[in-house]
Amino acid sequence: MKKAVIVLPTYNEKDNIKSLIPAIFDETKKITNWEFSILVVDDNSPDNTYAEIIKLQSKYNNLYLIQGNKEGLGRAYIRGFDYALKNLQPQILFEMDADWSHLPEIIPQFITEIDKGADFVIGSRYIKGGSIPAEWRWYRKIFSFFGNIVVRLGFMNLKMHEWTNGFRAIQGSFISKILTELNSFNGYVFQIAILDRAIKNHLNIVEVPMHFKERKSGISKINAGKYILDILLYILLNSTFLKFCFVGFIGFIINIFGLELFYRIGFTPGVAAAIGAELSIISNFILNNFWSFSHNKIDKNTNIINKFGQFNLVSFGSIVIQFIVVTLGTSFFGDQTRFLFLLTSVIVFIIPYSYFMYNRFIWTNKSS
Ligand code: GDD
Ligand code: MN
């Protein structure tokens, strides 16, 4: 029988887990083709959560407990995943909050999706059929909603609606592959890091709608200030889209300097500009391949030549777009608006066009 381990991180969740753990086992015993265990990862909770688990262990064989120091949610998950993979050999690992925000009755939906071939299932508050608690204070609603919007835009990935919720079912083999990479994410940003890696590794990710409930008892451990900073830093360092924009900016500078340099050497302005443009195309190709899109790096020589040809074609498309927008704009508003329309063509048309084309044709998931 296939095995699933539900990892429950706890910090002062004594009152919640008393009822939650029996409720989870009641739910999972209805699922006949999977064997479920629960692993509680407690960080020496001052309220003696562990003592409650030990009581429950006399009733449930498949209930495990590990203890450690409080080093953050991400750390707790890493320890839990590591322990589960080494000792319990699960095909699937669940993440779940231990405060009744995540209702056990949707576990079967996660399993249905896994049985249908999903590698990574996430409980989603931001798709049809999902919600955040109506009783949340306005700032918490705004924080959660805009947090997800910022992440979606930062990664320019609009397919995923939910990035932060920690109710998930994930292939054990994937977790074991990336576990050491996750070591540096000790806080709640861990959730974003793991999903980002799932996307870059081309996992089959499915969102299932869920109502997120307010916790039953106790208080949230989230540190909003640290969390916001961690998220922004994570996006800055890991967003393919932001890296792509930065590479484009460097290309633009190279274009200008190329024009100047080759003009001074003695070429005509037109030829110097064309050389500058090609230099920027070369730099864009190299930097994108080894940095922005390195998760889909093109590394076979024959492919590199091929793709570089296609890349030049795509770049030529940008030149055409610029030509059309600047021509149209200046014909209506006068030649003095040429820089305005140059900027417009880059921001409104060329950035989305190039990003789409690179993802679709150049750095696709089979490009290596
Ligand atoms: N062991 C351990 N160590 N557990 C922790 C720690 C820690 O440092 N910090 C939090 N937890 C446990 C809590 O006891 C709870 O079971 C679960 O992790 C979630 O923590 P909450 O304190 O309830 O956080 P929240 O409800 O505000 O978090 C929500 O947003 C997060 C980020 O958006 C949930 O949706 C999380 O799943 C989500 O990751
Ligand atoms: Mn909570």
Side-chain angles (χ1 to χ4, degrees):
M1 194 142 58
K2 286 175 286 184
K3 283 191 186 168
V5 174
I6 300 176
V7 179
L8 286 181
T10 56
Y11 193 74
N12 290 342
E13 305 290 2
K14 183 173 121 200
D15 295 328
N16 290 317
I17 42 121
K18 257 189 241 177
S19 52
L20 181 66
I21 287 174
I24 295 175
F25 278 126
D26 280 347
E27 198 56 58
T28 54
K29 73 177 179 231
K30 297 181 205 155
I31 302 168
T32 51
N33 56 338
W34 285 79
E35 183 191 324
F36 279 85
S37 307
I38 295 177
L39 169 64
V40 176
V41 185
D42 182 54
D43 286 354
N44 297 322
S45 300
D47 75 349
N48 285 343
T49 300
Y50 82 94
E52 211 55 55
I53 308 293
I54 288 170
K55 269 192 227 158
L56 286 164
Q57 275 178 330
S58 61
K59 194 168 167 210
Y60 300 103
N61 288 330
N62 289 355
L63 176 58
Y64 301 84
L65 167 68
I66 56 173
Q67 295 251 66
N69 294 325
K70 185 163 169 20
E71 296 169 326
L73 180 67
R75 264 301 139 91
Y77 269 122
I78 290 169
R79 264 190 287 125
F81 287 161
D82 191 50
Y83 178 92
L85 288 165
K86 284 192 180 128
N87 300 289
L88 307 169
Q89 287 85 38
Q91 273 83 22
I92 291 291
L93 285 158
F94 273 78
E95 290 182 357
M96 187 174 177
D97 290 356
D99 58 1
W100 278 102
S101 283
H102 297 154
L103 295 182
E105 60 244 41
I106 70 165
I107 292 173
Q109 288 177 44
F110 282 70
I111 288 295
T112 305
E113 294 301 335
I114 294 285
D115 285 340
K116 282 198 303 203
D119 303 310
F120 192 117
V121 187
I122 177 164
S124 179
R125 299 164 293 182
Y126 298 111
I127 56 175
K128 196 164 168 262
S131 69
I132 53 178
E135 65 266 40
W136 267 5
R137 304 291 299 273
W138 61 271
Y139 55 86
R140 213 153 162 215
K141 287 182 180 161
I142 289 184
F143 177 56
S144 177
F145 181 75
F146 281 98
N148 273 287
I149 295 279
V150 166
V151 180
R152 287 174 74 193
L153 290 180
F155 285 110
M156 211 33 92
N157 182 330
L158 303 180
K159 274 188 229 151
M160 279 301 311
H161 303 81
E162 171 73 76
W163 279 82
T164 53
N165 193 20
F167 200 1
R168 303 166 174 199
I170 310 167
Q171 290 286 355
S173 54
F174 166 68
I175 302 264
S176 82
K177 181 174 153 196
I178 60 153
L179 202 57
T180 50
E181 281 177 38
L182 296 172
N183 265 325
S184 48
F185 307 108
N186 50 10
Y188 285 75
V189 75
F190 169 84
Q191 302 289 20
I192 293 172
I194 195 166
L195 180 54
D196 179 38
R197 277 163 180 73
I199 293 169
K200 287 179 176 153
N201 280 279
H202 315 294
L203 262 60
N204 177 11
I205 305 170
V206 176
E207 289 181 82
V208 296
M210 62 163 263
H211 299 293
F212 187 99
K213 300 281 175 218
E214 179 58 308
R215 61 161 51 241
K216 251 191 193 158
S217 102
I219 51 163
S220 169
K221 284 91 205 173
I222 212 157
N223 172 342
K226 174 177 161 27
Y227 189 35
I228 292 171
L229 282 181
D230 282 353
I231 290 181
L232 293 179
L233 193 66
Y234 186 85
I235 295 174
L236 212 59
L237 296 177
N238 294 280
S239 160
T240 303
F241 179 69
L242 290 186
K243 289 180 182 175
F244 149 89
C245 289
F246 187 66
V247 166
F249 180 71
I250 294 176
F252 178 66
I253 307 267
I254 288 180
N255 200 338
I256 294 174
F257 277 91
L259 162 67
E260 194 55 25
L261 181 74
F262 285 91
Y263 175 69
R264 291 198 189 175
I265 290 176
F267 289 90
T268 63
V271 173
I275 298 174
E278 189 56 35
L279 287 178
S280 79
I281 290 173
I282 294 170
S283 123
N284 286 350
F285 185 74
I286 294 173
L287 291 177
N288 277 321
N289 193 42
F290 291 98
W291 189 50
S292 331
F293 290 90
S294 59
H295 54 283
N296 284 339
K297 200 185 295 152
I298 309 157
D299 41 22
K300 286 199 205 93
N301 287 340
T302 46
N303 265 348
I304 290 192
I305 294 165
N306 243 325
K307 292 277 178 173
F308 182 63
Q310 293 173 23
F311 188 80
N312 270 274
L313 267 179
V314 172
S315 304
F316 183 69
S318 300
I319 298 176
V320 173
I321 292 172
Q322 214 179 95
F323 172 77
I324 295 172
V325 174
V326 175
T327 305
L328 278 178
T330 52
S331 72
F332 283 107
F333 299 98
D335 285 6
Q336 70 281 10
T337 59
R338 61 193 182 280
F339 284 109
L340 185 70
F341 282 102
L342 171 70
L343 213 62
T344 310
S345 73
V346 171
I347 293 171
V348 181
F349 298 102
I350 293 177
I351 289 179
Y353 156 80
S354 311
Y355 193 62
F356 174 79
M357 298 299 274
Y358 294 179
N359 274 296
R360 185 78 177 72
F361 297 107
I362 313 288
W363 289 282
T364 60
N365 59 19
K366 325 177 246 312
S367 57
S368 59

